Amino acid sequence: MPCTLPKERLDETIRFHGHHCPGLTIGIRAVELAERELGDLAQIDLVAVSETDMCGVDAIQFLTDCTLGKGNFIHRDYGKRAFSFYDRKSGKGFRALLKDLAPGDRSREQAINHFMTIELDDMFDLTPLEALAPRPAQVLESLRCEHCGEMTMESRTRRFAGKTYCIPCFSEIDQKL
């Protein structure tokens, strides 16, 4: 079934991202898949996980209202064209991996049209997820880096020789060893 996103919502998504490209279209279709599999996304406790930083991530954040800041969007920098969606309430979830759809000699516009019209099952491989959804974001203490003095989230600090460091400062110190 071709993309079912209403034109005005599609236009808003394109405006948010800045242009219409094949990558954005992949994210749009991934959201459609999430709606098909999990139901009305506005009615569930949705968590989205992206294994890439490609353009489609903007569509997922914009259309699902899952964001890094709220802790219901998680970026795992694996460089894979895969997205997972979970409903924390029901425990239901799935991972969608973009199938290897070699574009061949398609132009940008042809690739967009292809992704907008292809059947979702022909576009993505789905795997049900047995694991629990990632836990909600936690508010952690901020610690002062003993080198630069900047406050840093506790989970992002490193300890060395009894002192607490932010990651950039720890990297400088660790490189000197």
Side-chain angles (χ1 to χ4, degrees), residues 15 96 128:
R15 212 171 9 264

Side-chain angles (χ1 to χ4, degrees), residues 33-167:
L33 186 62
E35 289 173 337
R36 185 186 84 184
E37 296 296 311
L38 300 175
D40 183 354
L41 301 181
Q43 300 301 313
I44 65 174
D45 189 3
L46 183 67
V47 178
V49 179
S50 176
E51 297 180 31
T52 182
D53 61 358
M54 55 120 45
C55 297
V57 169
D58 282 354
I60 292 170
Q61 290 184 96
F62 185 77
L63 293 169
T64 65
D65 204 29
C66 291
T67 66
L68 286 169
K70 288 189 284 192
N72 60 352
F73 180 84
I74 298 167
H75 174 237
R76 294 188 175 140
D77 197 10
Y78 300 156
K80 296 186 178 189
R81 301 176 307 175
F83 311 98
S84 298
F85 298 92
Y86 300 85
D87 176 1
R88 280 195 178 119
K89 289 178 189 169
S90 72
K92 188 176 178 183
F94 68 93
R95 179 176 185 255
L97 176 66
L98 183 69
K99 292 182 179 183
D100 188 14
L101 304 168
D105 293 331
R106 287 190 191 119
S107 70
R108 176 184 170 125
E109 290 304 315
Q110 288 170 325
I112 291 169
N113 186 57
H114 175 70
F115 288 133
M116 291 293 280
T117 58
I118 190 172
E119 294 290 331
L120 291 171
D121 291 328
D122 293 333
M123 188 169 177
F124 295 101
D125 283 322
L126 260 63
T127 307
L129 294 173
E130 304 298 324
L132 296 174
R135 66 174 171 71
Q138 302 295 311
V139 177
L140 300 173
E141 183 179 352
S142 291
L143 304 176
R144 186 171 309 281
C145 173
E146 296 197 38
H147 182 71
C148 70
E150 295 178 3
M151 299 303 288
T152 307
M153 185 186 334
E154 181 179 18
S155 64
R156 301 301 191 269
T157 61
R158 302 293 182 262
R159 296 281 297 168
F160 182 75
K163 295 183 178 180
T164 301
Y165 297 98
C166 67
I167 293 172

